[in-house]
Amino acid sequence: MTNDHEANPLRDSRDRRLNRIAGPSALVFFGVTGDLAKKKLLPAVYDLMNRGLLPPSFGLVGFGRREWSDDDFRAYVRESVQAHARTPFNEEVWSQFAQGMRFVVGAFDDDAAYDQLKATLAELDERGAQHNHAFYLSIPPKAFEQVLSKLAEHNLASRNEDAHLGWRRVVIEKPFGHNLESARELNSIVEKVFPSDAVFRIDHYLGKETVQNILAMRFSNQMFEPLWNANYVDHVQITMAEDIGIGSRAGYYDGVGAARDVIQNHLLQLLALTAMEEPLSLDSKHLREEKAKVLEAVRIKNLQESFALGQYAAGYQGGEHVNGFFDEKDIPADSRTETFAALKLFIDNRRWDGVPFYLRAGKRLGRRVTEIAVVFKKSSDRLFGRDEGDTAHQNAIVIRVQPDEGMTIRFAAKVPGTQMEIRDVNMDFGYGHSFTEESPEAYERLILDVLLGEPPLFPRHEEVELSWKILDPFEEYWEENTIKPEPYESGSWGPRSAHEMLERDDRAWRRP
Ligand code: BG6
């Protein structure tokens, strides 16, 4: 299936401002009782309905082992929506939404349940879904193969004979494997059942407004691009700090760690968007091509000195005492899983020649913040020499991804008074101040794009592979050398070794 948008890269850009409304369709959730579905996915679907972006006949199917009736499922969705939706609860919208809800009871290997799913979808098609079905797999990776092969066996997937009646799409939540090899295996399993243009891999960071704004900021302005290169940029810091710990997610997190959990996907995508060349158009093919070129050009120099790993120890956050990683439920005493990782990478092309990209991600850090800081070379001291102990005036452009969405430009200015004293000041753009519309949640945008069949915000398999190629050498080194992460106090900014990594380069992490 080709997408009209892909076929016409020069289409009128005014199209992009029209409200995009999903056509007749049904969405089936596997893993509907999980945390992600409850807190993010179901509320996002409701928000779309509430914003008038889904058709009235929209079908929502839950598939799971709980012995639920359709009404039990409705009650569960209602609770999740009331607790977590972004838009206000509206009884009228809810009642229409609830009419299209069904629950199918069964385990992932239960043939009778897939027959039941087929009958349920047929009924929803009559009701108005018109044979357009998306399957959302928010399930552990080990269950992917089973669910996909059952969908195929039961003629529910797109390679099946009646698929021409409508579209079939599959949505896959990360992690896409745990290294290059397993990602390739997973992909071959998925693509046996769904053709590549029907596969939507979720990296929810790409659904965030502020992440999409990176492209707008870079390529719709004249003033940044001339500076965006090794002639002016000293280095780039990408930070994803969380104040939460791993909570009850030991089952998923232990053995995965910060690098696989968020650097392989979210942070490398941020790096790609920050460093890529201007794409030919905003269509998926061109966007993905440029991102892939950057990821392909990433290099590690001197691996042993290009990382830091940490594990949070007990401490205080917001005045409250919090557990250390080893006090969390189900974490074995000898776990080497990192809850903090920092990497230093280079991009081997002319634009970024010699510019380090420092990435860090961690749990239980000082506060929740994700930002990209492009730090410029030091200004000349010729006219405004510094006193000893002064920090150099280094301009920076900081893209604040969350939570205080916006952008800061840092530059030097004269302090009022009789002396020529120079100090750094900030100029701020905040979404909340400049726009009246509230930003939609990432999942609203992404689920809508799946239903519309628009792929630009979904990483292609090649990008996933390239990202593993960047991470695998680190993971292998840590494994072969049984590297033990260094403890850091909860509420701090990570282990000592992360600071040392930058000090060696005569630089320092920003304090967000
Ligand atoms: C997920 C990770 O992808 O992103 C989680 O698996 C992390 O560990 C979450 O907490 C953070 O997302 P956000 O949107 O709150 O930054």
Side-chain angles (χ1 to χ4, degrees):
M1 194 181 349
T2 47
N3 184 315
D4 292 349
H5 297 219
E6 264 182 20
N8 178 13
L10 300 178
R11 80 183 200 275
D12 190 336
S13 60
R14 280 171 302 183
D15 287 358
R16 298 184 194 287
R17 289 196 302 234
L18 297 178
N19 236 353
R20 300 143 66 244
I21 299 177
S25 45
L27 178 59
V28 181
F29 277 112
F30 289 84
V32 78
T33 52
D35 228 37
L36 183 68
K38 188 163 142 189
K39 293 198 179 136
K40 299 278 182 188
L41 307 180
L42 295 169
V45 181
Y46 169 82
D47 286 326
L48 289 173
M49 190 76 169
N50 208 6
R51 291 164 64 201
L53 303 179
L54 299 182
S57 62
F58 185 72
L60 180 72
V61 183
F63 184 109
R65 268 182 316 200
R66 303 211 185 163
E67 293 286 336
W68 277 351
S69 66
D70 292 344
D71 276 343
D72 294 331
F73 179 53
R74 289 184 183 112
Y76 170 79
V77 179
R78 186 182 170 112
E79 206 178 292
S80 117
V81 165
Q82 285 184 321
H84 303 287
R86 181 177 65 86
T87 60
F89 193 77
N90 176 316
E91 280 298 345
E92 225 173 289
V93 172
W94 169 259
S95 109
Q96 184 163 55
F97 187 39
Q99 282 172 34
M101 285 181 202
R102 306 285 183 275
F103 192 73
V104 175
V105 182
F108 294 155
D109 61 348
D110 177 353
D111 285 303
Y114 287 86
D115 286 338
Q116 181 58 39
L117 176 60
K118 193 160 190 188
T120 303
L121 284 170
E123 187 242 316
L124 289 174
D125 287 340
E126 287 299 305
R127 214 185 144 258
Q130 298 186 17
H131 306 275
N132 297 320
H133 308 152
F135 300 95
Y136 199 121
L137 311 190
S138 176
I139 55 179
K142 58 180 186 299
F144 282 150
E145 183 163 11
Q146 186 157 57
V147 172
L148 287 163
S149 56
K150 289 290 173 202
L151 289 175
E153 272 170 43
H154 291 264
N155 270 330
L156 286 154
S158 43
R159 297 229 191 264
N160 300 135
E161 66 276 15
D162 63 348
H164 62 277
L165 290 173
W167 50 253
R168 306 282 184 280
R169 296 181 187 138
V170 68
V171 188
I172 305 186
E173 269 294 338
K174 70 172 199 30
F176 314 112
H178 54 271
N179 58 14
L180 178 61
E181 198 188 324
S182 55
R184 282 188 175 146
E185 273 164 29
L186 173 61
N187 194 53
S188 75
I189 293 167
V190 177
E191 294 198 358
K192 256 188 238 149
V193 181
F194 289 91
S196 60
D197 62 2
V199 181
F200 290 75
R201 297 175 186 81
I202 296 261
D203 182 321
H204 79 280
Y205 263 60
L206 297 181
K208 292 184 192 272
E209 279 293 329
T210 39
V211 173
Q212 293 160 45
N213 189 44
I214 300 172
L215 291 180
M217 190 274 277
R218 289 195 53 203
F219 302 124
S220 70
N221 290 300
Q222 190 67 2
M223 63 181 180
F224 301 120
E225 196 54 19
L227 307 177
W228 216 254
N229 56 56
N231 293 333
Y232 298 96
V233 175
D234 178 69
H235 70 280
V236 177
Q237 298 187 11
I238 304 181
T239 298
M240 176 182 173
E242 295 184 272
D243 51 4
I244 52 170
I246 62 153
S248 54
R249 292 170 81 213
Y252 158 73
Y253 201 86
D254 189 39
V256 171
R260 287 190 174 111
D261 183 37
V262 298
I263 294 186
Q264 186 271 344
N265 36 74
H266 309 328
L267 267 64
L268 286 179
Q269 285 288 330
L270 294 182
L271 174 144
L273 291 167
T274 306
M276 69 192 244
E277 296 302 317
E278 181 170 323
L280 222 50
S281 78
L282 291 176
D283 292 305
S284 57
K285 178 173 176 292
H286 297 134
L287 263 177
R288 290 157 153 184
E289 267 169 18
E290 292 304 335
K291 281 195 287 167
K293 276 191 213 158
V294 173
L295 295 172
E296 216 167 341
V298 169
R299 299 284 178 275
I300 305 162
K301 293 186 189 160
N302 191 1
L303 191 146
Q304 290 95 314
E305 303 235 314
S306 299
F307 70 84
L309 298 178
Q311 281 171 332
Y312 59 84
Y316 284 87
Q317 244 172 352
E320 271 186 31
H321 183 264
V322 291
N323 275 344
F325 181 58
F326 289 102
D327 308 320
E328 305 285 18
K329 193 167 170 291
D330 299 330
I331 293 295
D334 58 353
S335 172
R336 282 192 288 111
T337 300
E338 80 283 0
T339 62
F340 175 100
L343 304 182
K344 173 179 166 186
L345 302 171
F346 289 88
I347 298 172
D348 193 11
N349 62 23
R350 185 160 174 173
R351 184 193 279 264
W352 297 113
D353 188 25
V355 177
F357 281 68
Y358 300 102
L359 276 46
R360 62 175 166 170
K363 303 263 183 209
R364 285 257 184 261
L365 297 181
R367 68 184 182 91
R368 174 173 183 255
V369 58
T370 300
E371 63 163 46
I372 302 161
V374 176
V375 182
F376 290 86
K377 294 192 168 163
K378 289 178 186 156
S379 61
S380 148
D381 287 346
R382 201 174 62 80
L383 290 180
F384 309 101
R386 281 186 295 274
D387 290 335
E388 218 167 305
D390 266 7
T391 48
H393 301 296
Q394 257 183 306
N395 300 148
I397 295 178
V398 184
I399 299 167
R400 304 195 308 268
V401 174
Q402 64 188 26
D404 177 22
E405 288 91 355
M407 200 169 118
T408 301
I409 299 185
R410 189 164 179 76
F411 56 95
K414 179 183 175 305
V415 181
T418 51
Q419 289 158 316
M420 188 51 98
E421 192 193 338
I422 305 290
R423 199 181 295 160
D424 281 335
V425 293
N426 286 336
M427 196 159 77
D428 263 348
F429 149 63
Y431 273 80
H433 293 117
S434 302
F435 300 111
T436 46
E437 302 94 23
E438 204 188 310
S439 298
E441 273 284 327
Y443 278 105
E444 286 171 62
R445 171 68 198 261
L446 295 176
I447 292 172
L448 182 62
D449 281 7
V450 168
L451 299 173
L452 288 165
E454 297 201 349
L457 298 182
F458 298 86
R460 193 169 54 176
H461 183 62
E462 285 79 350
E463 289 168 67
V464 175
E465 280 197 9
L466 288 168
S467 305
W468 282 122
K469 279 190 193 161
I470 296 168
L471 197 62
D472 278 359
F474 286 105
E475 293 281 355
E476 283 159 18
Y477 181 85
W478 301 336
E479 189 56 40
E480 280 159 18
N481 295 280
T482 47
I483 301 285
K484 195 159 168 18
E486 185 191 350
Y488 59 94
E489 200 181 326
S490 286
S492 73
W493 284 98
R496 186 65 227 135
S497 50
H499 298 286
E500 285 161 4
M501 183 172 105
L502 264 74
E503 282 160 15
R504 280 196 293 276
D505 296 348
D506 205 14
R507 298 189 175 101
W509 289 107
R510 278 172 44 83
R511 201 56 187 267

